[in-house]
Amino acid sequence: MSSNRPWELVTDPSYFRGLMGTMVTAGLGPKEDVWVRIGKMGEGKRPNYQVHGPDGRIIRFNGASHSVFHEKPYESFEPENISDEIFAYPDVVKLLARCLQKL
């Protein structure tokens, strides 16, 4: 099953925990000024994502390992491959809670 909102299909809470950790440690500023956009590709197991800082900087991450994306980590994913929705830290906490409810 694929979706253009694969973050709604994630069943492993560790994905969201890793994403939250990345948001805090990405070096882009305080967590309240950092937000994320999640990839729309794939089947919702571990979508890639990009973290945005308050100064406009972007860092892309591999959703499986939460490591810096190997190819051009400081450029945005193509617009059609990344969510229009933005998620602040509290939003990701809600996604984690929703994931935990499905268990």
Side-chain angles (χ1 to χ4, degrees):
M1 171 194 290
S2 63
S3 165
N4 65 351
R5 298 171 60 91
W7 55 91
E8 293 178 346
L9 304 175
V10 173
T11 58
D12 183 358
S14 66
Y15 170 78
F16 293 114
R17 289 182 185 117
L19 196 156
M20 291 162 55
T22 300
M23 291 178 78
V24 171
T25 62
L28 296 174
K31 69 180 176 186
E32 62 269 7
D33 292 340
V34 174
W35 48 278
V36 66
R37 292 174 66 195
I38 303 174
K40 297 191 302 186
M41 306 300 289
E43 298 180 9
K45 295 186 193 249
R46 292 172 294 278
N48 294 331
Y49 56 92
Q50 60 191 39
V51 178
H52 295 250
D55 61 357
R57 284 186 295 156
I58 295 170
I59 303 175
R60 299 192 299 182
F61 291 89
N62 177 302
S65 65
H66 300 284
S67 60
V68 175
F69 198 76
H70 62 87
E71 186 178 314
K72 299 181 182 178
Y74 303 106
E75 294 181 16
S76 179
F77 286 109
E78 294 296 323
E80 64 273 9
N81 296 335
I82 196 79
S83 65
D84 293 327
E85 296 92 336
I86 61 170
F87 301 94
Y89 192 88
D91 300 319
V92 180
V93 171
K94 290 176 187 174
L95 291 172
L96 171 60
R98 186 179 318 158
C99 181
L100 289 168
Q101 287 177 347
K102 293 177 187 178
L103 296 178

